[in-house]
Amino acid sequence: MQTRLHRWAAADAGRRFDDLFNFVHDPATLIMAFDRVAGNRGSNTPGVDGLTVVGVEELIGVPGFLDDLRTALRDGSFRPLPVRERKIPKPGGSGKVRRLGIPTLADRVVQAALKLVLEPIFETGFEPVSYGFRPRRRPHDAIAEIHHFGTRGYRWVLDADIEAAFDNLSHSFVMDRVRARVKDKRALALVKAFLKAGVLTELGEQRNTHTGTPQGGILSPLIFNIALSALDEHVMTSWMDGGAMSTPGKRTYRRSRGRPTWRITRYADDFVILVHGSREDTEALREDLARVLATMGLRLSPAKTQVVHMSDGFSFLGFRIRWKRKRGTNKWYVYTFIDARPVRTLKAKIRALTHKTSQWDLASTLTRLGQIMRGWANYFKHAVAKRTFSKLDDFTFWRLAHLLRARHGWSWGQLRRHLTAATGRWQIAADGVEFFRIEKVAVSRYTYRGNKIPTPWPATA
């Protein structure tokens, strides 16, 4: 079903799809949607009705739950409930919080079903410069694209931040973008109902939602990408077939006449625009983008949006990207480092796990440390990371050493005797679980995939 929808949408860019609602409440779609919801990490975080996946499986039964949900969708009695607000601190220790909206289990399943149906249609119109929350695309693809163009003269950067993007997105703008490809009134009504569902705050107050799409909803990233694709199209118009920047030759000709070229790289609400030109050209783009975002109900954050030269460096998706001279030479390259903030965040997690008063046994502590550090290293292993990995390795080892000394009352000599392995090297292990050495993770350059990233759905039979 998804493959057919994707092919039809790709074959006719102006086609508006009708009769999608029947796909949404199709039993196969709902079963797949429930499986995806149940597989999410937050599957047992309840919404306002208190129902979780485990509760459905034990008390109601999945077939009965989905049958009732399908009946409610078909007879028009289904109504989304308000999302449960949960505030979590933003990373970096700024003291600011991010508002998440947790839908009920039934709403999550319907949102997942809607996403299964709508995503293959809208994916055909998304620009290749958008990487966030799209199938088979990763943050590393966005970083690789910045590196690729940064090495080719795009040295001025508009490092943009949209202020409260998910909270302020215009519903009317979103619905206009959805209607451009969807004609089915019942499917449209369902999308609008989720936008207008409201929020139950942590204080128990119900608040209407006149703008925005809640972070935490399964459908929200797709809705946001549908809206922000208008920004991608505006910036990349000149790169399309026949445009002033559509070929390398045309871009070279523009620059030879003193005119700039530019390219956007976007990951959800985070984006940068790389400019092959001057600071003034980049400032002009900033004003142009502000006007485009205003039509969506959004605005750039004055405090966080900045124009920088790549030689000064900028942060994006946890990485620090900078054009600098290679040590011992006169050659300059674009380097991708690990930003300071994710290092601080990881150290805070390590400190919490290795506190001297921790009640966890050593094997459990080593297991959890390994899980956290392995995932962190796999994300950052494509950066210039070897020195950072080595320092984190030392930091974690000595945190564990101090923990063991405090727990057992050992002197340094006793600690050394207990931790010296048969090889003569220090080793921390318990019950077959060894201390994970993050410095042993291989560091490699991520391959830039450009426009070659495939979708999950074959374009041709």
Side-chain angles (χ1 to χ4, degrees), residues 27-28 107 175 208 417-418 443:
D107 290 351
M175 292 308 301
N208 293 328
R417 284 195 296 274
H418 278 89
V443 173

Side-chain angles (χ1 to χ4, degrees), residues 276-322:
H276 195 311
S278 65
R279 183 183 187 94
E280 291 71 25
D281 297 325
T282 313
E283 292 283 4
L285 275 172
R286 176 178 182 163
E287 299 304 316
D288 182 46
L289 291 184
R291 289 190 291 270
V292 175
L293 289 172
T295 64
M296 309 177 197
L298 304 175
R299 73 186 192 103
L300 294 172
S301 169
K304 297 182 180 179
T305 300
Q306 56 180 343
V307 173
V308 297
H309 194 270
M310 203 171 275
S311 59
D312 297 322
F314 66 98
S315 301
F316 191 62
L317 302 179
F319 294 89
R320 183 77 181 171
I321 303 166
R322 188 180 173 194

Side-chain angles (χ1 to χ4, degrees), residues 324-333 335:
K324 60 177 292 187
R325 182 175 60 84
K326 184 179 180 180
R327 185 182 301 175
T329 72
N330 288 321
K331 295 182 179 180
W332 289 65
Y333 297 94
Y335 290 92

Side-chain angles (χ1 to χ4, degrees), residues 105-325:
L105 180 61
D107 290 351
R108 272 179 266 180
V109 172
V110 177
Q111 286 190 30
L114 262 174
K115 185 173 182 284
L116 286 169
V117 174
L118 296 179
E119 187 174 52
I121 296 171
F122 284 95
E123 267 292 322
T124 60
F126 289 161
E127 295 295 322
V129 295
S130 164
Y131 295 97
F133 305 110
R134 294 181 58 190
R136 297 186 180 174
R137 289 172 171 257
R138 313 182 189 106
H140 305 93
D141 290 311
I143 299 298
E145 176 155 298
I146 293 170
H147 187 278
H148 176 82
F149 284 94
T151 60
R152 285 159 176 77
Y154 288 74
R155 303 277 158 70
W156 282 101
V157 181
L158 175 60
D159 182 12
D161 182 271
I162 304 176
E163 195 165 39
F166 279 84
D167 296 332
N168 295 323
L169 186 63
S170 166
H171 288 176
S172 60
F173 184 87
V174 168
M175 292 308 301
D176 286 343
R177 297 286 296 183
V178 176
R179 288 189 193 99
R181 301 242 59 180
V182 177
K183 190 164 59 173
D184 189 321
K185 291 183 178 179
R186 293 175 297 174
L188 290 169
L190 205 51
V191 174
K192 188 172 183 179
F194 282 118
L195 292 174
K196 300 291 186 183
V199 176
L200 185 69
T201 68
E202 291 182 332
L203 299 176
E205 301 170 351
Q206 186 164 339
R207 188 177 70 241
N208 293 328
T209 47
H210 302 292
T211 61
T213 178
Q215 294 190 66
I218 292 174
L219 193 62
S220 293
L222 176 61
I223 291 295
F224 196 81
N225 274 333
I226 290 172
L228 266 289
S229 63
L231 175 67
D232 304 335
E233 292 165 7
H234 177 81
V235 177
M236 297 300 293
T237 298
S238 299
W239 284 74
M240 297 176 186
D241 290 343
M245 304 180 205
S246 56
T247 65
K250 288 185 177 181
R251 294 193 288 275
T252 302
Y253 178 80
R254 274 182 66 87
R255 293 193 287 267
S256 71
R257 293 294 185 267
R259 287 178 287 177
T261 56
W262 56 82
R263 188 175 178 91
I264 188 173
T265 301
R266 183 175 67 83
Y267 193 92
D269 58 331
D270 293 327
F271 68 91
V272 296
I273 295 186
L274 307 179
V275 179
H276 195 311
S278 65
R279 183 183 187 94
E280 291 71 25
D281 297 325
T282 313
E283 292 283 4
L285 275 172
R286 176 178 182 163
E287 299 304 316
D288 182 46
L289 291 184
R291 289 190 291 270
V292 175
L293 289 172
T295 64
M296 309 177 197
L298 304 175
R299 73 186 192 103
L300 294 172
S301 169
K304 297 182 180 179
T305 300
Q306 56 180 343
V307 173
V308 297
H309 194 270
M310 203 171 275
S311 59
D312 297 322
F314 66 98
S315 301
F316 191 62
L317 302 179
F319 294 89
R320 183 77 181 171
I321 303 166
R322 188 180 173 194
W323 182 59
K324 60 177 292 187
R325 182 175 60 84

